[in-house]
Amino acid sequence: MLRRTKWSAVVALAAFSLLLGACGTQSATTTTTTTAPPPIAVAATTSFAQAGCKDAGAITQAMNGRITTCLRAEALSEGPYHISLQQIIGAKGLTTGSTLAAGPAVKLRLSPSGGAPGTTVTAIGTLSEKLQPLPQYANFCWDGCVNGLQYSGVPLRWTGPTTFTAKLVVPAAPWVESDPARIALLRTGSFPIGVNCLVVVRGCGLGGAEGSAAFNMTGVKKPSWCNSAAQCASLAAGPGKVLPGQIIKVQGYAPLVSVIGSDEPFAFQMQVSPGVPRGDSVKLTTMAKGGTEAFFGQAPVRIAQAPTFASLGKPSPGAATLAGPGSITADPTDPGRVFWCAGAYLGETGPSGTRQIPSQAAAKLLASLGYGFMGASSPSCAAVAPLPLPPGTLPAVAAAFTVSQGGSAPPVYEVALYTLDGGASWTPVPPPQGASAFTFGGFRFAGNKLQALYGTDGGSTATPYQVATADMQSAEAGWQSGSLACPASGPCTTLGPYVPGNCAMNGTSQSVLYSTSPGAGWQSPEWPQQLSACASAEVASVGGGRLLAIASQSRYPVRLSTNGGRTWSYVALPALPPGALGAGAGTGFGVAGGQLLLLPTGGLLAYGVGQPQTGSYLLEPGKGTWCRVPANVALPTSPFGTAVGLAGGNLWWVAYGQQTTAPVPHQVPVSQIAC
């Protein structure tokens, strides 16, 4: 079962984990088995697999309290930190102590009726009346069904109309009881095992047992990691010093809080706090909105100073692949001609000015194919690129339009069409074998050839993309299946297909792909496997065989690869000034509305769409602080949709949204973006 991990420079309240119930009586004096965790020897790596973790971010806990997990070091400042297991006990709106018993009375007996910690027990139940339908799961409780340890969703095996059996493993570690929250230390004695929620109703797990039987715990020995209730947890981390982005393995012991099924303790999440470990290894804090926040263990770790953007010297940006479908594209044979689309409008801007490319015929074609436009009268253009035809009077372009099936949404798709007569007529781009029109993922150039990138039907991971290549040397279109081309310069690393998504909900992303040589096939690194396409992101060659991955919405907004994209390391950015792009004092990049763009000059531009009052900022090569771009340098600030791109030495953008008139493309020479 996957568990979450969490990093934070300050302890924050987590989302509540509602328990169906709790069970409990008094804890007593202690005794148990097992030893404290030894120091962990783990080589520094950004790979979960190399750190010895099969499931990225999964927290596992055994019935003897043993904790194992790995987490990725966040982009925190250099210094000491400590890692704790965070658990939420109880929650607002849940009141324990009820005598509610939702199901029929149950006569319960146990086999065996006693034993050592960790014994597997078969509970044999007989109901006082029949249930229809027969439930497949029930809750069980250790030490009473109000405040003690609950086993949620234990499978039942029905041996007759009113008889069942269920297996559960009794605790082999101290556990948490609630109301008030406290540590129950393992001890020799008699403990009730109860069953409830045979009939599931609201709050059934907070009530008393529908039946119970006593288990006699024997052979209890004191564990070395639990000397007292306040010192009843122990965690260790390795390696002891890491860079942001590297993997930390955490092992140790902690009390049980709840159990899923028969024998899988539920571990909420890991939390990282600043400073060296201090005080007790168990900390229980009453939350303002109800419930108790518990922290178990304090594994020390040190975050090392990551290489800075200034330490890269002066990057020499070459070929770059920008995330997104591509709504601003230059003609590779004539960079002075830029094609753009925004909303329902498409256009070409060049030395002779701007001309519109009509899309009415495209709308009619899409409607005739059964696509809808989500309540609008015309589709919205998501991507556009010029077709490599001989120069003529009419622009020949391929464009992708956002549609839905039957007019409803979501989901939405981008469907690619092309025109050879300036928009008077349109034809669907033929998807390559293994793909469909719904899996279009952007346009790319391979030299002077245009490629339409597609994902595969069914989301196959063996072949994550398909390509249709336009090789057009006459007025007749010729699309053939092909293979994804390497960028024009630098290492063979790029982004996979763009997949439309709702950025207000589940977002959308693009895979990072690298190839060891042209034609050798494509692979994804373990980190980053993908970049969010809901904000400005790109993979760019920056000279000397180096690559930068820029991801505005990532906690690691800049990453560097020196081996062709196989592995990446985090590059630290200086803090933005207080209030810049909505940032608080001393915060780094990655805040509300902020976008990052690598400029051809080698600098990083931070601009805030929808926040014109905050201005834009530039991080010049070799510099350790951001400077504010003068207000007289026009940069994108529209609160509505804004398409941004680089072409012909200029920064281009087209703002669109609620206007009914055609949008106007804007451009500013990159050389003017300076402080």
Side-chain angles (χ1 to χ4, degrees):
M1 176 174 289
L2 292 182
R3 314 297 189 206
R4 293 186 301 153
T5 58
K6 176 182 177 183
W7 282 82
S8 177
V10 290
V11 173
L13 297 181
F16 290 132
S17 174
L18 299 183
L19 303 178
L20 281 178
C23 326
T25 60
Q26 296 355 15
S27 53
T29 56
T30 308
T31 35
T32 329
T33 54
T34 49
T35 58
I40 300 172
V42 179
T45 177
T46 59
S47 165
F48 281 99
Q50 291 178 9
C53 295
K54 294 181 180 179
D55 297 318
I59 304 175
T60 59
Q61 187 175 25
M63 291 300 290
N64 68 352
R66 177 75 172 176
I67 291 284
T68 302
T69 189
C70 281
L71 58 158
R72 192 178 298 281
E74 281 281 3
L76 299 173
S77 301
E78 189 276 338
Y81 294 83
H82 60 274
I83 303 171
S84 303
L85 174 65
Q86 182 200 34
Q87 301 278 63
I88 300 298
I89 304 166
K92 182 180 179 181
L94 300 184
T95 303
T96 59
S98 168
T99 58
L100 172 67
V106 180
K107 182 179 179 180
L108 199 67
R109 64 186 178 89
L110 306 175
S111 179
S113 60
T119 297
T120 299
V121 175
T122 299
I124 305 159
T126 302
L127 279 61
S128 61
E129 59 185 84
K130 295 181 180 180
L131 285 175
Q132 192 62 35
L134 296 177
Q136 300 303 303
Y137 302 91
N139 289 356
F140 281 78
C141 319
W142 170 263
D143 204 13
C145 281
V146 175
N147 301 326
L149 180 68
Q150 175 165 326
Y151 296 66
S152 299
V154 178
L156 302 179
R157 177 177 176 269
W158 289 91
T159 56
T162 59
T163 57
F164 66 84
T165 63
K167 291 185 181 296
L168 60 153
V169 177
V170 302
W175 65 92
V176 175
E177 298 196 343
S178 59
D179 248 0
R182 60 200 183 279
I183 306 299
L185 303 175
L186 274 176
R187 64 176 177 86
T188 297
S190 179
F191 296 87
I193 291 178
V195 60
N196 67 3
C197 288
L198 283 166
V199 175
V200 179
V201 298
R202 181 177 175 82
C204 68
L206 302 174
E210 291 150 13
S212 66
F215 182 86
N216 187 35
M217 182 84 83
T218 60
V220 179
K221 296 180 181 179
K222 181 180 178 180
S224 62
W225 57 271
C226 185
N227 294 320
S228 66
Q231 298 292 341
C232 195
S234 180
L235 296 179
K241 184 177 182 180
V242 294
L243 290 165
Q246 292 181 337
I247 305 302
I248 303 171
K249 189 168 187 176
V250 181
Q251 295 176 341
Y253 293 89
L256 310 178
V257 174
S258 65
V259 181
I260 304 299
S262 302
D263 61 355
E264 187 178 359
F266 176 78
F268 190 46
Q269 64 186 11
M270 305 305 292
Q271 173 124 347
V272 177
S273 302
V276 298
R278 288 189 176 89
D280 295 333
S281 65
V282 174
K283 297 180 181 180
L284 305 176
T285 304
T286 300
M287 301 169 67
K289 295 184 178 181
T292 299
E293 187 177 32
F295 293 93
F296 300 124
Q298 299 183 77
V301 66
R302 187 171 192 88
I303 303 297
Q305 175 61 55
T308 64
F309 187 78
S311 71
L312 300 179
K314 185 174 182 180
S316 302
T321 306
L322 273 64
S327 51
I328 295 179
T329 309
D331 185 340
T333 63
D334 183 3
R337 296 173 65 223
V338 174
F339 294 81
W340 53 268
C341 68
Y345 297 93
L346 294 83
E348 175 194 3
T349 300
S352 58
T354 294
R355 58 176 169 179
Q356 301 294 318
I357 300 174
S359 61
Q360 293 89 338
K364 290 181 179 179
L365 173 61
L366 291 168
S368 71
L369 295 173
Y371 300 122
F373 312 139
M374 296 164 290
S377 59
S378 59
S380 178
C381 177
V384 64
L387 285 169
L389 288 172
T393 57
L394 295 176
V397 300
F401 298 88
T402 303
V403 300
S404 61
Q405 294 191 62
S408 62
V412 297
Y413 310 93
E414 317 289 11
V415 173
L417 311 176
Y418 67 94
T419 177
L420 303 178
D421 53 16
S425 63
W426 294 80
T427 303
V429 173
Q433 185 177 4
S436 72
F438 291 143
T439 62
F440 172 79
F443 294 116
R444 305 283 173 83
F445 283 102
N448 294 335
K449 297 179 181 180
L450 181 65
Q451 296 189 321
L453 186 59
Y454 287 82
T456 54
D457 283 331
S460 168
T461 56
T463 308
Y465 62 88
Q466 298 286 347
V467 174
T469 301
D471 188 4
M472 303 178 179
Q473 300 303 321
S474 67
E476 295 297 324
W479 293 89
Q480 298 90 30
S481 292
S483 53
L484 182 61
C486 295
S489 61
C492 191
T493 305
T494 187
L495 295 177
Y498 169 82
V499 180
N502 188 330
C503 290
M505 297 177 65
N506 57 351
T508 185
S509 60
Q510 288 178 251
S511 299
V512 178
L513 299 174
Y514 73 89
S515 179
T516 55
S517 62
W522 295 88
Q523 305 175 63
S524 286
E526 183 173 331
W527 183 77
Q529 290 186 339
Q530 55 193 20
L531 303 182
S532 171
C534 288
S536 179
E538 62 185 293
V539 170
S541 168
V542 291
R546 300 179 300 171
L547 292 159
L548 287 181
I550 311 293
S552 299
Q553 288 193 337
S554 174
R555 294 192 292 267
Y556 311 90
V558 178
R559 278 166 279 197
L560 171 71
S561 177
T562 58
N563 57 9
R566 290 188 291 276
T567 60
W568 299 77
S569 58
Y570 169 70
V571 175
L573 298 179
L576 287 163
L581 306 177
T587 61
F589 195 78
V591 292
Q595 309 276 324
L596 270 182
L597 187 65
L598 182 65
L599 299 177
T601 56
L604 275 178
L605 174 66
Y607 62 97
V609 173
Q611 300 186 51
Q613 71 279 4
T614 66
S616 300
Y617 292 80
L618 180 66
L619 183 59
E620 296 176 309
K623 298 295 180 65
T625 58
W626 296 89
C627 61
R628 184 162 181 170
V629 179
N632 63 348
V633 179
L635 290 171
T637 57
S638 169
F640 302 113
T642 302
V644 179
L646 291 164
N650 295 329
L651 173 65
W652 290 79
W653 71 98
V654 183
Y656 62 97
Q658 298 178 347
Q659 76 273 18
T660 57
T661 58
V664 177
H666 303 273
Q667 59 179 307
V668 60
V670 171
S671 59
Q672 293 184 12
I673 305 175
C675 300

